[in-house]
Amino acid sequence: MNSENLESIAIDFGASNTRLAHFKQNRISKLIEFATPERPEEFIAEFKQKVLAIELSNVVAVGVGACGYWDRNCILRQSLNLSNYVNYPLWTEVSEILQLPTLLKSDVELAAMGEAIHGEAEQNESLLYINMGTGFSGALYKDGEIFTTSYSPTLRLDFLVQPESISSENTSDEELEIDPEEKREKSITLLSTTLINLSFILSPQIISIGGGKVTDERWTNIIKPAIDKAMVYLKENLTYEIQIKKSQVKYPTIYGAHELVKRNLKKLALHS
């Protein structure tokens, strides 16, 4: 089968929302979105209902991009926002429901792949994708591959300090007393410092910023000023040219999940 013509199911499993897409001829033919339930049993029940809207007869596999730390058996072992899902065989049940093989990577890893291939057409050797959603995370796509190790599936950027006003909805009493402009300036400084440090540590040619919290307001008031501040320092000290910009792909994790199926087509054929 030509990988450009295969059909797949691509899933973006996030702490707040889940997206389910049916790909035909390298394009999304149907997209379904629903709020991620608090418990995995509720997710399975809703998933069974949602997937009825998709014709599965020609689908070869399921690609999943999921938040959190998942082991090699596709079991969630650590999550900042989905503690009820820890140790639950979620994707085993999904695979059994669909009667299809399931391939899993972290959501930000597949977002990096989706952005590099569908947003930048793989024109550069390395792209760092930063996700500002329920969490603050990132992944590096380099030389046509997701950067990974045998002991950790992604760059664990979700444990970096989160810039206030970008990814946190919780505000303490002390923070309420801070002047809004002072808080904005602090967020800009934290984010610009993070961008500078990641640029020198990982040497990406492009940093692409996306995620549910990248609203027009946040981009204008915090993210773009942070980029501008970082670029002043980087232009003076970095030995190569770098771009930092907004994600070009609306659903990068979904597109990355589809690419994951395409890349494993031969392996899937051997096990069919």
Side-chain angles (χ1 to χ4, degrees):
M1 178 186 293
N2 186 328
S3 65
E4 297 302 314
N5 295 326
L6 69 78
E7 293 187 27
S8 75
I9 298 296
I11 299 174
D12 177 2
F13 177 70
S16 299
N17 296 289
T18 295
R19 295 187 181 95
L20 172 66
H22 180 201
F23 273 83
K24 287 184 178 181
Q25 297 184 336
N26 227 28
R27 295 182 179 181
I28 297 174
S29 65
K30 184 180 286 294
L31 179 68
I32 300 168
E33 184 171 356
F34 57 95
T36 302
E38 290 187 6
R39 305 196 64 82
E41 297 87 354
E42 297 168 354
F43 177 91
I44 291 298
E46 183 146 11
F47 181 84
K48 284 181 178 179
Q49 292 298 316
K50 299 297 186 184
V51 82
L52 291 174
I54 297 176
E55 172 55 54
L56 299 172
S57 58
N58 293 319
V59 174
V60 299
V62 182
V64 179
C67 62
Y69 170 59
W70 304 76
D71 67 15
R72 293 180 180 180
N73 295 316
C74 300
I75 302 295
L76 183 63
R77 297 304 184 192
Q78 184 182 50
S79 174
L80 296 176
N81 302 293
L82 291 168
S83 59
N84 290 330
Y85 286 76
V86 172
N87 297 326
Y88 190 91
L90 187 70
W91 304 116
T92 299
E93 292 195 13
V94 166
S95 187
E96 290 173 352
I97 291 167
L98 300 177
Q99 291 295 292
L100 290 167
T102 299
L103 304 167
L104 176 72
K105 290 280 188 183
S106 76
D107 54 351
V108 71
E109 286 178 315
L110 294 187
M113 182 189 286
E115 184 70 28
I117 296 173
H118 292 269
E120 301 294 336
E122 293 194 276
Q123 295 180 29
N124 298 278
E125 292 180 7
S126 62
L127 177 144
L128 175 65
Y129 185 88
I130 294 178
N131 179 67
M132 293 181 180
T134 307
F136 182 59
S137 55
L140 183 68
Y141 185 84
K142 187 177 186 300
D143 298 326
E145 299 291 340
I146 299 167
F147 175 83
T148 188
T149 67
S150 61
Y151 51 83
S152 179
T154 187
L155 302 171
R156 306 305 304 282
L157 302 182
D158 45 333
F159 287 95
L160 291 179
V161 174
Q162 297 185 16
E164 289 92 341
S165 304
I166 293 177
S167 57
S168 176
E169 296 294 339
N170 299 317
T171 306
S172 66
D173 292 339
E174 291 81 4
E175 288 175 323
L176 288 172
E177 297 176 1
I178 298 176
D179 178 74
E181 182 59 26
E182 181 184 344
K183 186 176 181 182
R184 187 181 80 90
E185 288 299 326
K186 182 180 179 182
S187 295
I188 291 170
T189 299
L190 283 168
L191 181 56
S192 65
T193 301
T194 299
L195 293 171
I196 290 168
N197 290 339
L198 291 175
S199 297
F200 280 100
I201 293 169
L202 300 173
S203 299
Q205 291 169 297
I206 294 177
I207 297 179
S208 180
I209 301 175
K213 296 296 176 67
V214 183
T215 61
D216 289 342
E217 181 181 1
R218 282 194 179 94
W219 183 266
T220 300
N221 293 331
I222 297 175
I223 302 171
K224 184 60 168 61
I227 291 173
D228 293 341
K229 187 173 184 177
M231 287 300 295
V232 170
Y233 185 87
L234 292 171
K235 285 179 179 179
E236 291 178 355
N237 297 283
L238 205 60
T239 57
Y240 68 95
E241 188 173 322
I242 189 172
Q243 299 179 60
I244 307 177
K245 57 186 180 180
K246 188 184 292 187
S247 170
Q248 305 297 299
V249 181
K250 188 173 184 180
Y251 304 115
T253 297
I254 286 288
Y255 279 93
H258 175 62
E259 291 296 327
L260 183 64
V261 173
K262 288 170 61 177
R263 291 191 174 198
N264 285 273
L265 188 57
K266 290 183 180 179
K267 186 186 296 184
L268 292 167
L270 291 173
H271 289 85
S272 62

